[in-house]
């Protein structure tokens, strides 16, 4: 890359193997179901998460919204975390385009809703209230340190959903990070939910796309939703080819990203002027903040890092930061960030 970029794993460029696969990809018209490379990707993705079928979509946001539209209708309600990505960072799509009302609940330090509160949130059968149709979970949980949520939590939410006949969807944008961090197969985590979407273009390093997976009947309905959202693609095999490489070559190496994140967290813990809870760093995200005696703002710090070290870092409020490791971040890059940050803080 032409910079050391910790802002997100979305900034990762495709690998050389992906570029080669894209150049030689066989293609057809995907809307007709005739793109062989897209079909291969969808089948592979479904197998990776233990589902019957998959649907290639342009983004995780599109995948999540297509899932909501397939599971619920206008006037229905979806129960989800108040700081979840779907609720906070997807432009209110479920309400704006689907007429589905979000019912946000608080989450704990690692992103778990309380199962009892989820159960209490389910509406009774009354014409005055919205109909509860869907529960949304997220794994790993982006707003809470990218923490990998364990199977027992998913099982507890599944139990509530089944008891009340609710569909259960997982925003698994970084599902494979969660699986690798817990040494669990992704299919085991996805087995608790009816549908799951995961991103190819984050830690898996593909340039574009996510895959939504579920039962064959569900994907049939989700395909219609994708069309409504303008997501019907034609010779998309050029993009899908990179996704196939991602699923075949990039999952196990996510452990390297997690190791680099821990290296960063340990370095920050020793750095005067920085505050980090290293115990919360389990995947590829490191949230940290400035000590009270530092007079600089987070924006000033990131600007100086760009100018002095060509290091790009994301802010998290006026005093905080989020650093995300990925394929193009090495241990040496972590040290450059730590040295650059130390110099910036020392200069005040």
């Amino acid at each position: 890359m032409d910079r050391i970029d910790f802002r997100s794993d979305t900034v990762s460029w495709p690998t050389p193997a992906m570029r080669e696969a894209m150049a030689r990809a066989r293609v057809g018209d995907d809307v007709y179901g005739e793109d062989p490379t897209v079909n291969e990707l969808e089948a592979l993705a479904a197998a990776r998460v233990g589902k019957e079928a998959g649907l290639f979509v342009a983004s995780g946001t599109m995948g999540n919204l297509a899932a909501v539209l397939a599971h619920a209708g206008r006037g229905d309600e979806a129960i989800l975390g108040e700081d979840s990505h779907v609720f906070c960072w997807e432009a209110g799509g479920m309400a704006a385009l689907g007429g589905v009302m979000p019912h946000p609940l608080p989450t704990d330090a690692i992103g778990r809703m309380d199962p009892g509160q989820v159960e209490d949130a389910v509406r009774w059968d009354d014409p005055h209230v919205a109909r509860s149709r869907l529960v949304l979970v997220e794994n790993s949980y982006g707003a809470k340190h990218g923490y990998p949520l364990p199977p027992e939590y998913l099982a507890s939410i599944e139990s509530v959903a089944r008891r009340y006949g609710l569909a259960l969807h997982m925003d698994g944008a970084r599902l494979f990070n969660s699986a690798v961090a817990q040494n669990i197969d992704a299919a085991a985590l996805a087995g608790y939910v009816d549908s799951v979407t995961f991103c190819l273009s984050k830690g898996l390093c593909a340039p574009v796309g996510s895959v939504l997976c579920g039962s064959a009947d569900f994907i049939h309905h989700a395909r219609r939703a994708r069309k409504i959202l303008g997501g019907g693609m034609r010779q998309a095999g050029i993009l899908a080819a990179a996704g196939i490489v991602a699923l075949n070559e990039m999952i196990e190496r996510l452990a390297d990203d997690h190791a680099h994140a821990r290296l960063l967290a340990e370095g920050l813990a020793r750095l005067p002027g920085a505050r980090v809870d290293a115990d919360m760093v389990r995947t590829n995200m490191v949230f940290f903040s400035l000590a009270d005696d530092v007079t600089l703002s987070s924006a000033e710090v990131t600007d100086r890092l760009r100018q002095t070290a060509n290091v790009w870092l994301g802010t998290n409020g006026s005093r905080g930061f989020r650093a995300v490791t990925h394929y193009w971040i090495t241990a040496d890059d972590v040290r450059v960030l730590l040295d650059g940050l130390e110099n910036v803080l020392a200069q005040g």
Side-chain angles (χ1 to χ4, degrees):
M1 298 187 77
D2 57 354
R3 64 187 64 163
I4 301 175
D5 201 337
F6 285 89
R7 288 175 299 167
S8 177
D9 43 11
T10 62
V11 305
S12 56
W13 290 1
T15 67
M18 290 176 182
R19 292 178 183 271
E20 180 181 351
M22 294 169 73
R24 56 181 171 79
R26 293 188 303 141
V27 298
D29 191 310
D30 180 49
V31 173
Y32 286 126
E34 296 174 354
D35 190 301
T37 309
V38 171
N39 293 342
E40 180 183 351
L41 170 64
E42 291 175 341
L44 176 61
R48 286 282 188 270
V49 296
K51 300 301 182 187
E52 287 183 337
L55 180 67
F56 186 42
V57 294
S59 67
T61 295
M62 179 180 284
N64 287 330
L65 183 51
V68 171
L69 296 179
H71 283 306
R74 303 192 71 83
D76 291 341
E77 186 175 72
I79 301 166
L80 74 175
E82 65 182 6
D83 47 11
S84 66
H85 194 278
V86 173
F87 184 61
C88 295
W89 299 104
E90 297 186 6
M94 69 167 66
L97 301 182
V100 179
M101 185 170 74
H103 187 152
L105 297 179
T107 63
D108 68 8
I110 63 173
R112 296 173 297 191
M113 296 180 288
D114 180 84
Q117 291 185 6
V118 173
E119 184 162 10
D120 290 342
V122 179
R123 305 289 188 178
W124 59 96
D125 186 10
D126 187 302
H128 297 88
V129 299
R131 296 172 297 182
S132 299
R133 283 287 185 267
L134 174 63
V135 181
L136 295 158
V137 293
E138 182 179 330
N139 199 6
S140 62
Y141 206 85
K144 299 291 177 65
H145 305 272
Y147 205 92
L149 297 187
E152 52 269 24
Y153 165 69
L154 299 174
S156 68
I157 300 298
E158 181 195 29
S159 178
V160 174
R162 300 293 173 251
R163 190 153 55 246
Y164 292 94
L166 307 180
L168 182 56
H169 172 71
M170 179 189 291
D171 172 7
R174 296 180 177 88
L175 173 64
F176 291 101
N177 289 92
S178 180
V180 169
Q182 299 181 79
N183 196 27
I184 299 173
D185 191 271
L189 294 173
Y192 295 98
V193 301
D194 298 298
S195 60
V196 57
T197 187
F198 61 84
C199 287
L200 300 165
S201 58
K202 292 187 169 70
L204 299 185
C205 220
V208 177
S210 294
V211 187
L212 172 62
C213 298
S215 69
D217 181 66
F218 166 79
I219 292 299
H220 173 76
H221 292 289
R223 192 174 296 275
R224 175 180 290 271
R226 186 186 71 170
K227 183 65 175 178
I228 292 171
L229 298 173
M233 295 180 282
R234 300 300 178 176
Q235 288 71 41
I238 293 173
L239 302 175
I244 293 171
V245 175
L247 290 176
N248 285 332
E249 299 182 7
M250 303 298 286
I251 293 174
E252 295 306 319
R253 65 143 306 279
L254 291 172
D256 296 338
D257 299 342
H258 301 171
H260 293 151
R262 287 191 294 273
L263 180 67
L264 174 58
E266 291 165 1
L268 290 167
R270 297 189 295 268
L271 187 63
R275 296 292 179 266
V276 64
D277 186 349
D279 289 339
M280 295 298 290
V281 178
R282 302 297 178 90
T283 59
N284 65 327
M285 289 187 180
V286 182
F287 287 79
F288 65 101
S289 61
L290 298 169
D292 292 341
D293 59 350
V294 175
T295 59
L296 298 170
S297 69
S298 57
E300 289 171 326
V301 170
T302 57
D303 183 61
R304 294 187 188 186
L305 280 172
R306 291 186 188 188
Q307 294 179 24
T308 60
N310 197 27
V311 171
W312 296 55
L313 182 64
T315 60
N316 185 37
S318 62
R319 305 284 294 173
F321 308 89
R322 187 189 76 163
V324 186
T325 55
H326 50 80
Y327 176 83
W328 296 97
I329 293 293
T330 66
D332 287 341
D333 293 330
V334 170
R335 296 184 186 99
V336 171
L337 169 56
L338 290 169
D339 291 343
L341 184 59
E342 183 176 19
N343 291 335
V344 168
L345 295 179
Q347 293 171 8

